Amino acid sequence: MKNRVEDINDKRVLLKSFQSINQIENIVKQICSSEMDDIQISVLGKVEDVNLDTNFSDSWTELKSYCSNKLRLTSNFGMVSNAEIGTYFIAGFLAPMFLQEINGKTIGAMSAGFYGILGGLGIDQENVSDYSKALNKGDLILIIRGNKSEISKLKPLIV
């Protein structure tokens, strides 16, 4: 008898940087209205650079509420201060990884934390570096994880 490994839910990750959180909101709405049940979403953005194109003030509560209500990322939310990137928020499925503490310091706050987490998702170091620079300059990063067929359906929406 031959052993065989079947990869039914071959997971893929799709990342894209955006200048406006409203662009991300529109994509999330499209994903939520589709019948893709296994999609996981995270958003990262520098706290001081978030512009909701409304009367948003730099209120942590308002940002958390926005991510919960508008982006529908209710499960996890937190803030990380990283010497290289600055202070940024993380919402969605990756938040527990960024907020996990080791010796009293969150992984996302560690100099290699951002690179390690995205690298662990299969993103090559050059692209991780590009996303780190985009985040540092004020862009927001949308991270979507799903099976291969779902991600291929989402690519046209995000490009």
Side-chain angles (χ1 to χ4, degrees):
M1 175 180 197
K2 289 186 177 181
N3 288 331
R4 193 171 98 173
V5 176
E6 292 188 35
D7 196 359
I8 297 170
N9 287 324
D10 190 20
K11 293 287 183 184
R12 298 283 193 257
V13 176
L14 183 60
L15 281 83
K16 177 138 173 133
S17 64
F18 293 91
Q19 293 181 342
S20 165
I21 202 161
N22 290 335
Q23 294 170 298
I24 293 173
E25 181 183 342
N26 290 334
I27 291 169
V28 170
K29 283 179 182 177
Q30 291 178 43
I31 291 170
C32 290
S33 67
S34 72
E35 295 188 17
M36 296 183 211
D37 297 329
D38 293 332
I39 294 293
Q40 295 175 303
I41 301 169
S42 275
V43 176
L44 289 89
K46 284 183 76 168
V47 173
E48 61 269 18
D49 294 331
V50 173
N51 178 2
L52 300 179
D53 298 328
T54 63
N55 294 329
F56 178 76
S57 63
D58 269 338
S59 167
W60 176 250
T61 306
E62 288 180 41
L63 179 58
K64 188 174 181 178
S65 174
Y66 184 89
C67 287
S68 177
N69 297 327
K70 297 287 187 180
L71 299 182
R72 302 175 190 182
L73 301 175
T74 58
S75 58
N76 298 292
F77 188 86
M79 185 169 50
V80 174
S81 184
N82 181 294
E84 198 173 295
I85 298 170
T87 302
Y88 62 97
F89 73 90
I90 175 72
F93 80 98
L94 286 175
M97 286 186 225
F98 279 87
L99 300 173
Q100 176 68 41
E101 287 190 20
I102 298 176
N103 295 328
K105 191 171 185 180
T106 63
I107 292 174
M110 296 177 186
S111 58
F114 183 84
Y115 292 88
I117 292 169
L118 294 185
L121 292 172
I123 310 301
D124 66 65
Q125 289 300 310
E126 186 177 321
N127 285 335
V128 173
S129 179
D130 291 342
Y131 285 110
S132 173
K133 289 174 188 171
L135 184 60
N136 195 23
K137 76 173 187 157
D139 285 0
L140 295 120
I141 310 297
L142 174 64
I143 305 169
I144 301 172
R145 182 169 66 178
N147 67 43
K148 186 178 178 178
S149 66
E150 290 172 329
I151 293 297
S152 62
K153 289 177 191 173
L154 289 175
K155 278 185 182 179
L157 294 174
I158 296 172
V159 176

